[in-house]
Amino acid sequence: MTAPILRIENISKRYGKKDVLKGASLDVKKGDLKILIGPSGAGKSTLLQCINFLVKPDEGRIWLDEQEVHYANKRDLYAYRQKVGMIFQDFNLFDHLTALENVRIGMVRVKGMGKAEAGERAVLELERVGLKEHMQKYPAQLSGGQKQRVSIARALAMDPRVMLLDEPTSALDPELIGEVHAVIRDLGNNGMTMIMATHQIGFASSLASEILFMEDGRILERGTPDKIFNHAENARTQEFCSKITELYGERG
Amino acid sequence: MRHRVPLFHTFLKAIERMPESLIAIMDALPYLLQGSIVTLIVVVGAMGLGFALGAPLAVGQVYGHPVLRRFIAVYVWFFRGIPLLVFLFLFYFGLCTALDINLSAFTVAIIVLGLISSAYQSQIFRGSILSLPEGQLKAARALGMSDFKAISFIILPQALRLSIPGWSNEYSILLKDSAVTYALGVAEIMARSHFVATRTYQHLPLYFAAGVIFLVLTWAGTKGLRLLEERARIPGYSPHGL
Ligand SMILES: Nc1ncnc2c1ncn2[C@@H]1O[C@H](COP(=O)(O)OP(=O)(O)OP(=O)(O)O)[C@@H](O)[C@H]1O
Ligand SMILES: [Mg+2]
């Protein structure tokens, strides 16, 4: 058995009196695509943000490449975050920068690369997501699907070991979802390791190496897409899956 | 009906004195315009100082340690709470004398107006920072940026753009407040018009001219900041879909 790239152990998070995460654990191997599903408020976003410490977990430990991450140490934290790409539901492109500058800024300001070299790499990444001709546009001049693809290029430019995607298509019109899915599918085919929260179960079941069903701060059930969608053991998983199949169309 | 006649007379008298008034203004104009340069230097200096202090204060008040935030809140309360004239006297006649510091009235004017402006400007910037979506900082952190880098390269460039309309306001307030520094003897517009008016007894035309110069300076500065706002606008970005 190969060692996991990312190892998440017993992550817990409390907001006031509310336990939002109650000990979530997860091993991710190279090339895995783990899909988080579950009802609204289950804690999917909180878990993803705990993984790169945008939200500080109250308990739990994380290892990347078998090195434990000590997030209290700022240097460790910044180095770790460079290796963990994050894609947000509402894109969060830097509004005052062009697509090219959005992709370049991490390389220049965090990795300390030269502007020219970083610019070349940024063009490559934008080309990869099919946006080379839009590289001089500002976020406000791009469609939602284009914005999300820029944000994927921005994350890829940092050469991440793992990508976290938090409902990358749920703010998009149906006709724009496909273009973002195509980019993610491409990433998966090229061996990118990913953890993604989504409600798009058709897409999820065609790509996922494992589906994790979350509810109420816990990962209740996990397994192959076939197991979770067709032979779930937990009644809550079955109920959720049949509801979401109705909403988001056929699995396949 | 009855009081129309004296009113008419007054009006006629004023007309009669018109040439005299015009001459008084023309005579004093170069002297007053020199004063407007002094005024502008004081205002621009104070705005600059207010910016240099106000921007870090705003950042500290939004992102800083609770103790720092408390301290900044007190700072803002202090500098916004004391009347300008009290402050000028306190600093110039009080502090400078007590500590035996030799500063010109002109320098004191810039420092005092700048300190007060820093309190106001910090609140302009703070409002702009708070109006940015939380996701901007999150995305910057997710790339591995330290908070210092995220604030310098992502937050402030956007917040400062949003602050330009507030600045325009701050400029026109500073411009008018600068007239108070006449009390220290700074040779700005107000001091000079007062000086000429008391010597020539041409009060009306001289204060009128001073008022007009202030109006022109307000107009020019506001216009300039409007152009800056236009130039700094992010393409495609229109907050109200206009
Ligand atoms: N900053 C916060 N303060 C207090 N409560 C929070 C905060 N962030 C999230 N929560 C709560 O934590 C719970 C989990 O939220 P989270 O956003 O992780 O759910 P989710 O599974 O991503 O839901 P969705 O599918 O709607 O995105 C919710 O009950 C939410 O109200
Ligand atoms: Mg969520």
Short mmCIF file of all heavy atoms in Angstrom, two decimals, chain A residues 40-63:
data_model
loop_
_atom_site.label_atom_id
_atom_site.label_comp_id
_atom_site.label_asym_id
_atom_site.label_seq_id
_atom_site.Cartn_x
_atom_site.Cartn_y
_atom_site.Cartn_z
N SER A 40 -27.14 20.56 2.83
CA SER A 40 -26.65 21.89 3.21
C SER A 40 -26.46 21.95 4.72
O SER A 40 -27.30 21.48 5.47
CB SER A 40 -27.66 22.93 2.75
OG SER A 40 -27.17 24.20 3.04
N GLY A 41 -25.33 22.50 5.12
CA GLY A 41 -25.06 22.60 6.56
C GLY A 41 -24.39 21.37 7.12
O GLY A 41 -24.11 21.30 8.33
N ALA A 42 -24.10 20.38 6.27
CA ALA A 42 -23.47 19.15 6.75
C ALA A 42 -22.05 19.40 7.25
O ALA A 42 -21.55 18.66 8.08
CB ALA A 42 -23.45 18.12 5.63
N GLY A 43 -21.41 20.44 6.70
CA GLY A 43 -20.04 20.76 7.11
C GLY A 43 -19.01 20.54 6.01
O GLY A 43 -17.81 20.52 6.27
N LYS A 44 -19.48 20.39 4.77
CA LYS A 44 -18.56 20.13 3.65
C LYS A 44 -17.58 21.29 3.46
O LYS A 44 -16.36 21.09 3.39
CB LYS A 44 -19.35 19.91 2.35
CG LYS A 44 -20.39 18.81 2.43
CD LYS A 44 -21.13 18.61 1.12
CE LYS A 44 -21.99 19.80 0.70
NZ LYS A 44 -23.15 20.04 1.58
N SER A 45 -18.12 22.51 3.39
CA SER A 45 -17.24 23.67 3.19
C SER A 45 -16.31 23.84 4.38
O SER A 45 -15.12 24.15 4.21
CB SER A 45 -18.07 24.95 3.03
OG SER A 45 -18.90 24.84 1.91
N THR A 46 -16.83 23.65 5.56
CA THR A 46 -16.01 23.80 6.76
C THR A 46 -14.87 22.79 6.75
O THR A 46 -13.72 23.14 7.04
CB THR A 46 -16.86 23.63 8.03
OG1 THR A 46 -18.01 24.47 7.92
CG2 THR A 46 -16.10 23.99 9.27
N LEU A 47 -15.16 21.56 6.37
CA LEU A 47 -14.10 20.54 6.32
C LEU A 47 -13.03 20.95 5.30
O LEU A 47 -11.84 20.92 5.61
CB LEU A 47 -14.70 19.18 5.96
CG LEU A 47 -13.67 18.05 5.77
CD1 LEU A 47 -12.84 17.86 7.03
CD2 LEU A 47 -14.34 16.73 5.39
N LEU A 48 -13.47 21.35 4.10
CA LEU A 48 -12.49 21.73 3.08
C LEU A 48 -11.63 22.90 3.55
O LEU A 48 -10.42 22.93 3.34
CB LEU A 48 -13.20 22.09 1.76
CG LEU A 48 -13.77 20.89 0.99
CD1 LEU A 48 -14.61 21.36 -0.19
CD2 LEU A 48 -12.64 19.97 0.52
N GLN A 49 -12.27 23.87 4.22
CA GLN A 49 -11.50 25.03 4.68
C GLN A 49 -10.62 24.70 5.87
O GLN A 49 -9.59 25.34 6.08
CB GLN A 49 -12.43 26.19 5.01
CG GLN A 49 -13.22 26.61 3.77
CD GLN A 49 -13.81 27.98 3.88
OE1 GLN A 49 -13.13 28.93 4.26
NE2 GLN A 49 -15.08 28.11 3.56
N CYS A 50 -11.00 23.68 6.63
CA CYS A 50 -10.12 23.24 7.72
C CYS A 50 -8.88 22.56 7.14
O CYS A 50 -7.80 22.62 7.73
CB CYS A 50 -10.84 22.25 8.64
SG CYS A 50 -11.91 23.04 9.85
N ILE A 51 -9.07 21.92 5.99
CA ILE A 51 -7.93 21.18 5.43
C ILE A 51 -6.78 22.12 5.07
O ILE A 51 -5.63 21.78 5.24
CB ILE A 51 -8.38 20.32 4.21
CG1 ILE A 51 -9.32 19.21 4.70
CG2 ILE A 51 -7.18 19.72 3.50
CD1 ILE A 51 -9.89 18.35 3.59
N ASN A 52 -7.09 23.34 4.58
CA ASN A 52 -5.95 24.25 4.38
C ASN A 52 -5.92 25.37 5.42
O ASN A 52 -5.29 26.41 5.21
CB ASN A 52 -5.88 24.77 2.95
CG ASN A 52 -7.01 25.69 2.61
OD1 ASN A 52 -7.93 25.88 3.41
ND2 ASN A 52 -6.97 26.28 1.44
N PHE A 53 -6.59 25.15 6.52
CA PHE A 53 -6.53 26.03 7.69
C PHE A 53 -7.05 27.44 7.43
O PHE A 53 -6.66 28.37 8.12
CB PHE A 53 -5.11 26.08 8.27
CG PHE A 53 -4.58 24.73 8.66
CD1 PHE A 53 -3.65 24.08 7.87
CD2 PHE A 53 -5.04 24.10 9.80
CE1 PHE A 53 -3.17 22.83 8.21
CE2 PHE A 53 -4.57 22.84 10.16
CZ PHE A 53 -3.64 22.21 9.37
N LEU A 54 -7.89 27.59 6.40
CA LEU A 54 -8.59 28.87 6.27
C LEU A 54 -9.55 29.00 7.44
O LEU A 54 -9.89 30.10 7.88
CB LEU A 54 -9.36 28.94 4.95
CG LEU A 54 -8.51 29.15 3.70
CD1 LEU A 54 -9.37 29.16 2.46
CD2 LEU A 54 -7.69 30.43 3.80
N VAL A 55 -10.01 27.86 7.90
CA VAL A 55 -10.73 27.79 9.17
C VAL A 55 -9.85 26.95 10.09
O VAL A 55 -9.39 25.88 9.68
CB VAL A 55 -12.11 27.13 8.97
CG1 VAL A 55 -12.74 26.79 10.30
CG2 VAL A 55 -13.02 28.04 8.15
N LYS A 56 -9.59 27.45 11.28
CA LYS A 56 -8.70 26.70 12.19
C LYS A 56 -9.50 25.62 12.91
O LYS A 56 -10.45 25.92 13.63
CB LYS A 56 -8.09 27.63 13.24
CG LYS A 56 -7.35 28.84 12.67
CD LYS A 56 -5.91 28.51 12.29
CE LYS A 56 -5.13 29.74 11.85
NZ LYS A 56 -5.28 30.06 10.41
N PRO A 57 -9.13 24.37 12.70
CA PRO A 57 -9.84 23.30 13.41
C PRO A 57 -9.54 23.35 14.90
O PRO A 57 -8.47 23.78 15.30
CB PRO A 57 -9.28 22.02 12.78
CG PRO A 57 -8.04 22.40 12.07
CD PRO A 57 -8.08 23.87 11.81
N ASP A 58 -10.52 22.95 15.72
CA ASP A 58 -10.28 22.92 17.16
C ASP A 58 -9.44 21.70 17.55
O ASP A 58 -8.69 21.73 18.51
CB ASP A 58 -11.62 22.86 17.92
CG ASP A 58 -12.45 24.10 17.65
OD1 ASP A 58 -11.86 25.19 17.64
OD2 ASP A 58 -13.66 23.97 17.44
N GLU A 59 -9.67 20.62 16.80
CA GLU A 59 -8.89 19.40 17.05
C GLU A 59 -8.56 18.77 15.72
O GLU A 59 -9.17 19.08 14.70
CB GLU A 59 -9.74 18.39 17.84
CG GLU A 59 -9.78 18.63 19.32
CD GLU A 59 -10.95 17.87 19.92
OE1 GLU A 59 -11.05 16.65 19.67
OE2 GLU A 59 -11.77 18.51 20.60
N GLY A 60 -7.62 17.85 15.77
CA GLY A 60 -7.31 17.10 14.57
C GLY A 60 -5.92 17.38 14.05
O GLY A 60 -5.30 18.38 14.42
N ARG A 61 -5.43 16.45 13.23
CA ARG A 61 -4.08 16.59 12.68
C ARG A 61 -4.12 16.32 11.19
O ARG A 61 -4.96 15.57 10.69
CB ARG A 61 -3.15 15.60 13.37
CG ARG A 61 -3.08 15.81 14.86
CD ARG A 61 -2.49 14.60 15.56
NE ARG A 61 -1.04 14.51 15.35
CZ ARG A 61 -0.28 13.51 15.84
NH1 ARG A 61 -0.84 12.55 16.53
NH2 ARG A 61 1.01 13.49 15.62
N ILE A 62 -3.18 16.93 10.48
CA ILE A 62 -3.11 16.76 9.04
C ILE A 62 -1.65 16.50 8.63
O ILE A 62 -0.73 17.13 9.14
CB ILE A 62 -3.66 18.02 8.33
CG1 ILE A 62 -5.16 18.15 8.58
CG2 ILE A 62 -3.39 17.95 6.82
CD1 ILE A 62 -5.79 19.38 8.03
N TRP A 63 -1.47 15.52 7.73
CA TRP A 63 -0.14 15.26 7.18
C TRP A 63 -0.17 15.44 5.67
O TRP A 63 -1.11 14.99 5.02
CB TRP A 63 0.27 13.82 7.46
CG TRP A 63 0.57 13.48 8.89
CD1 TRP A 63 1.80 13.42 9.47
CD2 TRP A 63 -0.37 13.12 9.90
NE1 TRP A 63 1.68 13.06 10.78
CE2 TRP A 63 0.37 12.87 11.08
CE3 TRP A 63 -1.77 13.03 9.94
CZ2 TRP A 63 -0.24 12.51 12.28
CZ3 TRP A 63 -2.37 12.67 11.13
CH2 TRP A 63 -1.61 12.41 12.29
#
